Amino acid sequence: MATTNIQTQEADLSTLVITAEELLNHWQGHRRVTRRVIEAFPEDKLFTYSIGGMRPFSELVMEMIHIAGPGVKGVATGEWKSFGEEDEFTGAAPQTKTELLALWDKVTAVIDSVWPQIPLHRFHEVEAAFGQYEDSLYSSVLYFIDNEIHHRGQGYVYLRSLGITPPAFYDRS
Amino acid sequence: MATTNIQTQEADLSTLVITAEELLNHWQGHRRVTRRVIEAFPEDKLFTYSIGGMRPFSELVMEMIHIAGPGVKGVATGEWKSFGEEDEFTGAAPQTKTELLALWDKVTAVIDSVWPQIPLHRFHEVEAAFGQYEDSLYSSVLYFIDNEIHHRGQGYVYLRSLGITPPAFYDRS
């Protein structure tokens, strides 16, 4: 769905404190942690294990994938599909950890290639991400990252309850 | 402990995309969600409930408090104590939800009052937060927020496993 982006958020741009490249590095640092969390799951538990009726970690990861890939393209271009609408990351959902990691890596490469194409003025444009979530685009990007941290934190509990020590949260290398 | 801040990170400041005020609002929006998660816990479970040997949510919240209050002051002033060293937020740990929420609100007010005093150039200075975590200060602030999201996400699992629907992650009002 095309967006009707016309508005730019009021912001005192003389007080900007985070660069586009820093925001990208911040995101990719988190994605490296999340990748290690995927790897830490036993193959079967990745797709089946749940606490309190929540989704298995593989499904949380698929949510991250459908946000991140189409999301970064939307931010760059202003072209949004509805969330979960068919895109290059849909189709046969990964059935193995190896397949899931391969899809994860594909999205990582997409982010790296698309990010530098985002015009800087876009970050303070207000637009409905996925045709639905109206916000400044810098804020939508933070949401993409926060949503990943949020669900990955849930994955940590899954791992702990399985007796597995999760990767260090602070290590973004 | 005093810091020996002399270094400023190399960054292309012509590509800045997030303002100081936006970063503050982002943080406080998350803190409003976390406050609602604290409220959602039954009184006893807040201090005792655990999965997989992890800390009860009250202890995760105390970590957030000891990061956020002294953290924002450190960013503003360059004066850091070791993490968990005695500060105005230590002393008798809250024993009730009401006390914990009161301490939470005290930190919220500290952040609001101290944040505007942070000189903008500070965000790209490299400094050892809490005398230990060497990073650009914008990155340390993101870490403070990310750590809260991470542990709050764990609280969501605790709540779900208790049969309690957590507050909406996306509602930052």
Side-chain angles (χ1 to χ4, degrees), chain A residues 98-127:
Chain A
T98 302
E99 290 173 5
L100 186 61
L101 287 170
L103 191 57
W104 187 262
D105 293 341
K106 178 177 174 184
V107 174
T108 299
V110 166
I111 295 171
D112 275 338
S113 70
V114 172
W115 188 271
Q117 304 170 29
I118 302 173
L120 291 182
H121 63 83
R122 290 282 291 157
F123 286 97
H124 281 89
E125 289 178 357
V126 175
E127 188 168 287

Side-chain angles (χ1 to χ4, degrees), chain A residues 5-9 75 119-127 135-138 140:
Chain A
N5 164 46
I6 43 170
Q7 192 183 354
T8 296
Q9 190 192 51
V75 170
L120 291 182
H121 63 83
R122 290 282 291 157
F123 286 97
H124 281 89
E125 289 178 357
V126 175
E127 188 168 287
D135 209 341
S136 299
L137 290 173
Y138 84 87
S140 292

Side-chain angles (χ1 to χ4, degrees), chain A residues 9-23 26 30 51-52 54 120 123-124 138-139 142-143 145-147 149-150 152-154 156-158 160-161 169-170 172, chain B residues 9-23 26 30 51-52 54 120 123-124 138-139 142-143 145-147 149-150 152-154 156-158 160-161 169-170 172:
Chain A
Q9 190 192 51
E10 294 283 336
D12 180 356
L13 300 182
S14 69
T15 70
L16 290 159
V17 293
I18 297 177
T19 73
E21 184 182 1
E22 288 163 351
L23 188 55
H26 179 67
H30 274 298
I51 294 177
M54 299 177 67
L120 291 182
F123 286 97
H124 281 89
Y138 84 87
S139 188
L142 288 177
Y143 190 92
I145 301 168
D146 295 348
N147 187 70
I149 300 167
H150 173 70
R152 187 184 59 209
Q154 298 171 342
Y156 274 62
V157 184
Y158 290 11
R160 287 281 183 196
S161 75
F169 172 74
Y170 54 83
R172 309 291 166 78
Chain B
Q9 190 192 50
E10 294 283 336
D12 179 355
L13 301 183
S14 69
T15 70
L16 290 159
V17 293
I18 297 178
T19 73
E21 183 181 2
E22 288 163 350
L23 188 55
H26 179 66
H30 274 298
I51 294 176
M54 298 176 68
L120 293 180
F123 286 97
H124 281 89
Y138 84 87
S139 188
L142 288 176
Y143 189 92
I145 301 169
D146 294 348
N147 188 68
I149 299 167
H150 173 69
R152 187 184 58 212
Q154 298 171 341
Y156 274 61
V157 184
Y158 289 10
R160 288 280 183 198
S161 75
F169 172 73
Y170 54 81
R172 310 289 166 79

Side-chain angles (χ1 to χ4, degrees), chain B residues 3-157:
Chain B
T3 180
T4 53
N5 164 46
I6 43 168
Q7 192 183 354
T8 297
Q9 190 192 50
E10 294 283 336
D12 179 355
L13 301 183
S14 69
T15 70
L16 290 159
V17 293
I18 297 178
T19 73
E21 183 181 2
E22 288 163 350
L23 188 55
L24 170 62
N25 292 339
H26 179 66
W27 192 4
Q28 293 288 28
H30 274 298
R31 289 181 56 81
R32 286 188 285 273
V33 178
T34 305
R35 193 184 196 284
R36 286 195 286 272
V37 174
I38 298 170
E39 287 181 306
F41 269 85
E43 179 89 31
D44 60 328
K45 297 293 189 289
L46 179 59
F47 294 90
T48 60
Y49 191 71
S50 164
I51 294 176
M54 298 176 68
R55 290 168 286 174
F57 194 61
S58 61
E59 291 187 28
L60 301 178
V61 171
M62 286 307 297
E63 179 179 301
M64 300 172 198
I65 284 172
H66 286 299
I67 288 175
V72 73
K73 291 186 175 183
V75 171
T77 65
E79 298 291 326
W80 294 97
K81 296 180 176 182
S82 300
F83 178 73
E85 197 178 327
E86 191 173 349
D87 59 47
E88 64 181 300
F89 308 106
T90 53
Q95 301 295 313
T96 67
K97 191 199 289 191
T98 301
E99 290 173 6
L100 187 61
L101 287 170
L103 191 57
W104 188 262
D105 293 341
K106 179 179 174 183
V107 174
T108 299
V110 166
I111 295 170
D112 275 337
S113 70
V114 171
W115 189 271
Q117 303 169 30
I118 302 173
L120 293 180
H121 64 82
R122 290 281 292 157
F123 286 97
H124 281 89
E125 288 176 358
V126 174
E127 187 168 288
F130 297 99
Q132 185 175 357
Y133 307 103
E134 179 107 346
D135 209 341
S136 299
L137 290 174
Y138 84 87
S139 188
S140 292
V141 170
L142 288 176
Y143 189 92
F144 301 167
I145 301 169
D146 294 348
N147 188 68
E148 176 175 338
I149 299 167
H150 173 69
H151 285 314
R152 187 184 58 212
Q154 298 171 341
Y156 274 61
V157 184

Side-chain angles (χ1 to χ4, degrees), chain A residues 32 45 64 113 140:
Chain A
R32 286 189 284 273
K45 297 292 190 287
M64 300 172 199
S113 70
S140 292

